[in-house]
Amino acid sequence: MSSPHDDPALTKLMERLTSEWTIHGPSATLENLARDLERMRTYRQALETLLLQARLELGLPAIIDEGGLGCDVPETTRAAYEQRYVAAVRRVGHAVLAAGDLVNAWPYFRLIGEPEPIREALEQDRWLASGSTTVVQDDDPAASDQREQHAEAQFNRLVEIALYEGAHPARGWQFILERHGLCAAITAFDQLPPDRKVRGRCAGLLAIRLREQLRGGLIHELERRGATIPDSARQVGAPLAPLWVGRPELFADDAYHIDLSHLAATVRLAPLSDDPQALSAAIDLADYGTKLAAPFQQSGDPPFEALYPDHALYLRGLLGDDPDAVERAIAWLEDRLPTPPPSSFIEALPAQALARLLIRHDRLLDAARLAATYLYGVPETALTVPTPAQLCLRAGPQGVALLVELARTHHDLPLLAAALALSNAPNHND
């Protein structure tokens, strides 16, 4: 095994270091050295060089005793050194990332609490290809297997960084969907953080993917039966209904064309999405579910006691292409609201669904009134919509007045104080 002592480039840098130190001085020499080490991808030494440069320029000891930023750094210099420390780590992190090594760049950005560069990089599709199991075949099967194992390990590490270590949970979940399929992605959905945007994005991707899988199953069955299928029905994103309308035989004898556990899970999650394309896909899936034989008609939590028909109605309301569909969904949910206040989390679910629908169509004051009546006291972690206070704030001056009333009704003194502060703010005193 070779060691750093065998590296001619490092040996040459060592020889230059002494002479340049005398000619150019410590600061310029260390800057040049750090740049060379970054170019050579010797990142740990590059970071140590930058930190040494910072210490010398700030009048600190060349080597700090135990504790890193500990007792050897005077209070008067500590803030300046911490800034240089963060800047050095950031610089090296960007150098590692620019070299295409996201996995080894992540520890640098995680150290300083700046996940944004990694988050942006993960949005690039090339990271999906980086874990590809397709390798160049050669005459050495052992080498080919080793490359494949390395690619798989790198891909799994990307998933860990993105999803489980929080760099970009939605993208990490999407990697699982793209690489390992629907079953693994549905299982991993519970690992997502309780962030409505993250979960909504992933639920939408799931609906879009499953619709195309269902399209393939329907087309396969129709072709087996000798049916003619128009090109328009084969296109990705096209509605599915033309494939089954007028063909009841597709559902005869308890037939189905997709994994029904995937169908039920995806339809349940679909209302989390705000993406019109995903909502359209979910409507197709719910409509398909209504065509299934009675043994496959599932029930769900309120207000979706009839899983597929109820979701089809609600999803059309969320999509909002048809104003009448919006009003039908609102009326349907209003009929399912319990006598206030709800006595359990389950009883509050129809109110959450209705609030989401109202928010979707910018009826914020109505949503705030609903939340004030039905959702006060529901733990924030159990909400799929903003809190009553947040909705009141979004609803403008009338919402703030509602917030005062809500706080007084529940003797919530901190909330009352916040409401009074808001009601006396200049933008609420017009």
Side-chain angles (χ1 to χ4, degrees), residues 186-201:
I186 290 170
T187 301
F189 197 92
D190 287 340
Q191 303 301 316
L192 292 168
D195 182 295
R196 287 187 291 273
K197 289 185 178 179
V198 169
R199 288 179 166 250
R201 172 176 172 174

Side-chain angles (χ1 to χ4, degrees), residues 138-316:
D138 55 28
D139 295 332
D140 186 351
S144 179
D145 288 345
Q146 189 174 17
R147 284 195 300 272
E148 186 172 351
Q149 291 171 9
H150 176 72
E152 182 71 16
Q154 286 291 99
F155 186 84
N156 290 338
R157 182 65 186 125
L158 284 175
V159 172
E160 289 177 4
I161 289 169
L163 177 57
Y164 301 110
E165 296 179 20
H168 195 340
R171 191 63 167 156
W173 182 89
Q174 187 179 1
F175 287 168
I176 293 175
L177 175 65
E178 298 286 346
R179 180 67 173 273
H180 300 299
L182 287 156
C183 189
I186 290 170
T187 301
F189 197 92
D190 287 340
Q191 303 301 316
L192 292 168
D195 182 295
R196 287 187 291 273
K197 289 185 178 179
V198 169
R199 288 179 166 250
R201 172 176 172 174
C202 294
L205 290 171
L206 197 61
I208 291 169
R209 174 60 60 86
L210 189 62
R211 175 169 66 175
E212 296 315 310
Q213 192 175 103
L214 176 56
R215 186 190 311 281
L218 289 167
I219 288 175
H220 174 77
E221 177 60 20
L222 289 169
E223 288 178 336
R224 189 184 70 82
R225 293 171 178 267
T228 301
I229 304 167
D231 290 341
S232 59
R234 295 178 182 271
Q235 293 178 359
V236 173
L240 292 183
L243 292 172
W244 69 65
V245 169
R247 294 183 172 118
E249 66 276 10
L250 284 174
F251 302 95
D253 301 321
D254 294 352
Y256 56 89
H257 313 87
I258 199 168
D259 186 300
L260 296 185
S261 65
H262 294 172
L263 178 67
T266 302
V267 169
R268 285 191 177 98
L269 293 171
L272 296 174
S273 178
D274 289 322
D275 177 15
Q277 183 184 358
L279 292 173
S280 294
I283 290 169
D284 275 354
L285 296 173
D287 285 346
Y288 173 82
T290 66
K291 303 296 181 183
L292 296 171
F296 305 132
Q297 294 300 320
Q298 298 194 25
S299 60
D301 292 328
F304 305 107
E305 288 86 356
L307 180 66
Y308 298 122
D310 288 348
H311 272 94
L313 188 157
Y314 182 60
L315 289 163
R316 282 187 167 84

Side-chain angles (χ1 to χ4, degrees), residues 354-375:
L354 179 53
R356 179 165 180 76
L357 182 57
L358 294 170
I359 294 166
R360 170 81 176 172
H361 298 295
D362 293 322
R363 294 166 64 164
L364 296 179
L365 186 57
D366 289 338
R369 288 171 176 152
L370 176 78
T373 303
Y374 290 97
L375 300 181

Side-chain angles (χ1 to χ4, degrees), residues 384-398:
T384 58
V385 294
T387 65
Q390 290 167 340
L391 284 172
C392 287
L393 178 61
R394 295 183 189 185
Q398 288 179 283

Side-chain angles (χ1 to χ4, degrees), residues 306-335:
L307 180 66
Y308 298 122
D310 288 348
H311 272 94
L313 188 157
Y314 182 60
L315 289 163
R316 282 187 167 84
L318 285 176
L319 183 60
D321 283 351
D322 179 0
D324 290 339
V326 176
E327 296 306 318
R328 282 194 297 271
I330 290 173
W332 167 72
L333 287 167
E334 287 175 339
D335 287 342

